[in-house]
Amino acid sequence: MNLMYPQIITGADLLRGIVKLDELAPLLQKRGAASAAIVNSKLYGVRSFSKMATKYGIRPVIGLSVMLNADDTEVLLYVYARNQTGFSNLMKMSSAISTREDETLPLTWLQAYREGCFIICAMTDASWANARNVEVLQQIAEGRSDSSAFIGISRPAGSAHAEEEHLIRLSEESGLPIAACHETRFLHPEDFQAYEVATAIRKGYKLNDPQKPPNRYRQAYLPEREEFMNWFSDRPEWLKTTEAMMNACNVSIQKEDFLLPAFPVKDGQTSDSLLKEHCRLGLQQRFHVLPAAYEERLRYELSIISQMGFTDYFLIVEDYVRYAKSERILVGPGRGSSAGSLVAYALGITEVDPIVYGLLFERFLNPERVTMPDIDIDFADHRRTEVVNYVADTYGKQYAAQIITFGTLSTKAVARNVARVLDFTPEEVRFMSNELNSSRSFKENIIQSKKLRDWIDVDPRRAVWQMAAERLEDLPRNASTHAAGVVLAAKPLVHYVPLQIGTEEVFLTQWAMKDVEEAGLLKMDFLGLRNLTLLDRIRSMIQYNKKQVIDFERIPLDDALTYEIFKAGDTTGIFQFESPGMRRALKTIRPDNFKDVYSVNALYRPGPMEFIPLYSRRKNGQEPIRYDIPELEPILAETYGIIIYQEQIMKIAVEISGFTLAEADLLRRAISKKNQQVLEKERQHFIAGAIKKGFDRIKANNVYNLIVKFADYGFPKSHAVAYSLISYRLAYFKANEPTYFYAAYLSSLTGSKEKMMEVIREVKGRGIRILPPSVTKSRYSHTVEGDAIRLGLGAIKGITLAFYRHLADSREKGGWQSMFDMAVALGADHFTEKSIIPLIKAGALDDFGEKRSVLLASIDAAHSHALFIGDDALSDQFHFNSQPKYTPGGEMDQMTRLSFEHDMLGFYLSEHPIEQLKRKAADRIPPISSLFTLRKGTKVQCMGMILSIKRIRTKKGEAMAFLTLQDETEEISCTVFPKQFAQTSVHLQEQAFVRVSGSIDYRNQSVQLIVDQLQPAVRIEE
């Protein structure tokens, strides 16, 4: 008899099992297993299971654990796909279960989907306690004579179930044969403790909780052959029944051909003719007379798209992009290689003219390399969901779904989760979190850290923690929605992929991105881009205030003020250009045209960034441009003789060796893989072509070497151009409408205190006023008021959008002269301490002309007034007769006032506390911002607030620290060496105000202050 394992629950089932496939398959092979069945609670992981088992010579059987709802009783079934029909029905069953609230399968649905399936009634499972009768079995068997239903009996560790004899009699009465069962949830007996931990993580209890539920799966390991056979030694026929059933299962899960949906067209029209019509209309809107080059390129692209069968795909993408634009949902100018398509440009899918920028269609779609086209679209992130819902509504909710993604137990996540269920103390959790390095596996961390090993040795619980964390690391912990992926099918999706409940009423696939693509489905990426939301806010504010309609495509690409932003590296808030290294690159290259902007974008990445100084010297005339052969000049002139783009590599292959663009794309891909045999083969191909075109062999070889050198570095020019357009547009508004830019940018930073402070300093440095939040003037987000920025109420801690909407509706009636008027308008139910105290502390009620201490003291009086006035017909009379008075509140010193502002807003608005300390100082204290231009070794002093402290020990065991010091102008990193640390450690507290003297140093091209002396600053007194 062949060894088989009929019920394996893998780690893909979100901690219901902890079996890892890369451990399971070799073990099955070692034991000589002929077949193995996966029976997860959803069809998670079945494609990986099938591939892994097949690779190791094991017959994969695809099953599903189903809780059947029969006569209000829920019982466990194992349902197996007998053939492709059965697998299709298994997907429908899993989808039905996963889209129902109780996640059970009604009996009628089982009967509807059972064709091509085997069913084992797991009657020794506890769920059958009240259903072990012939009536239930007959309902499930449905009088079928195809031997597709069985009674399942398990004997974990050889122990027979108390009602086994009764089940044998039921088999005789019902005519259903008995199949031997054994559920595997972990591989080895010693793994039970790790499985118990996994169950506690999944269900949310601690292992030392006396109320925790019992774990019934102590014996759910993978038994050895002899052990499994011995358990059923007196009933070998049960094993044979199971073996025969599994041998009868024959399901092939392979990579499928593309399954593209059809775009609906009118009678007498084809998708090809419709696409051509739309392209011509689009180009007519962009050109009065279509140039010949565009006509020729359009004909070529349309023929390739039609030949490859992708016409409907382009029409579908055009459709939802057109919808987004019609709803004023901001769409990105392009992304990836699709910006190289004139068809995409003509349809309005992209905003990049591929002929103007020299972009290649073959980089996007190559007739000699048939792969799914990949048109990824960016949308303003706050409205992306609307486009997803449009696709689901337009094509049908059964035809469209978002793609699932799984969050795994990474190094630190598994350590924290296991620590929680083992009830570790906060100190233990803090220690192990600090010691673990996320870039290494948990096991590697333990091996490389003696400190951790010593810590583990002290307490047996920590040994359990180590064991469980190692076993559970990298297992899927939870399912969520992929940030971008959406699938669309010609037939209902359940024919191709199992589904489950998603968000926003759009289904979610049970398979992740790779499995969905292998199933042949059309995958589209709808990406939410925060920077498009930023542009959208700027556009909306300008339109609201100035009544100007902004067309982003009409923004001039030769604006001098915009290039000053780039040249100065003044790129806070500019997409892709914010990092210190990128700012240095901009200052080095000093872009004065859009070509330079997207070149910097492509250059600033590992590898090519070493050519930034060379690019700068050649651009600015400090070094001559050299070409290996003159024929390279037309291709490389735009980048001063340096290969930056993948498209340049392709053009070189075409011009020097006579390749077609399709062949050149294959060459680019082949070279980038660095396979030595392929490299040599392509070398001969390249040189042979070059010789045919009259080039010298040595020069041809040199050019090929040049291509190989840059192949790793080459960046898609299409992506660089498209994404740099977003950056340029942001920089344009920063240069030309700075108040609107900063108002929108600050709104996007709500919740990010440090970044908010940095931007506020920059705003003030430009002379733009920031007005406090106001209950009479502010909206939820920040807005522009005259030449100033008015802070929004949403920036205040504790103020929700729902509360703001009620406040905005209430103030529409107007006439708020006091806090009492506001209380009446809001109503006593909404005028509560929870909402009003944050508003007062943030200064949002200052318009009423009272001190904040008085306003705080008067909340109860205002609330009582609102209750008294009420909301009935006599309220106007009551309001006229009542004259409430504010309650005296004493004085609030400046430090308290500023502290309240900081607590509510996350930053200091009126002024930074350090400004008053500086005014009280006997001598002049320079601002921190002035230190950044000083030479190394310059002696300086400054005053600021300690934002953060990192204490460490040197190799000698001496204590020292790194500080971040902030004043009203800037932040600086400070290093306190051991000698100074010993003298000043008592003063090192976060939020402490200190006076520092020391010397300027540079580390990694950044300024830092080496501390000589540090002492407390004098406290503000009022």
Side-chain angles (χ1 to χ4, degrees), residues 194-210:
Y195 171 72
E196 200 173 23
V197 169
T199 305
I201 292 172
R202 180 169 66 88
K203 294 188 174 181
Y205 59 79
K206 294 180 179 177
L207 289 182
N208 60 3
D209 183 355

Side-chain angles (χ1 to χ4, degrees), residues 263 265 270-272 274-276 278 310-320 347 349 395:
F263 185 80
V265 295
T270 66
S271 54
D272 283 339
L274 185 63
L275 181 63
K276 183 177 180 180
H278 286 189
F310 296 142
T311 302
D312 291 285
Y313 175 55
F314 277 82
L315 288 168
I316 289 167
V317 176
E318 180 207 16
D319 177 55
Y320 62 72
L347 295 173
I349 293 170
Y395 296 94

Side-chain angles (χ1 to χ4, degrees), residues 372-408:
M372 257 319 213
D374 197 9
I375 304 179
D376 300 339
I377 307 291
D378 292 308
F379 300 99
D381 65 348
H382 67 308
R383 300 192 65 187
R384 169 191 174 271
T385 302
E386 293 176 50
V387 189
V388 175
N389 289 341
Y390 168 77
V391 170
D393 292 340
T394 303
Y395 296 94
K397 293 188 185 296
Q398 306 297 324
Y399 297 81
Q402 297 194 82
I403 298 174
I404 203 168
T405 186
F406 296 99
T408 57

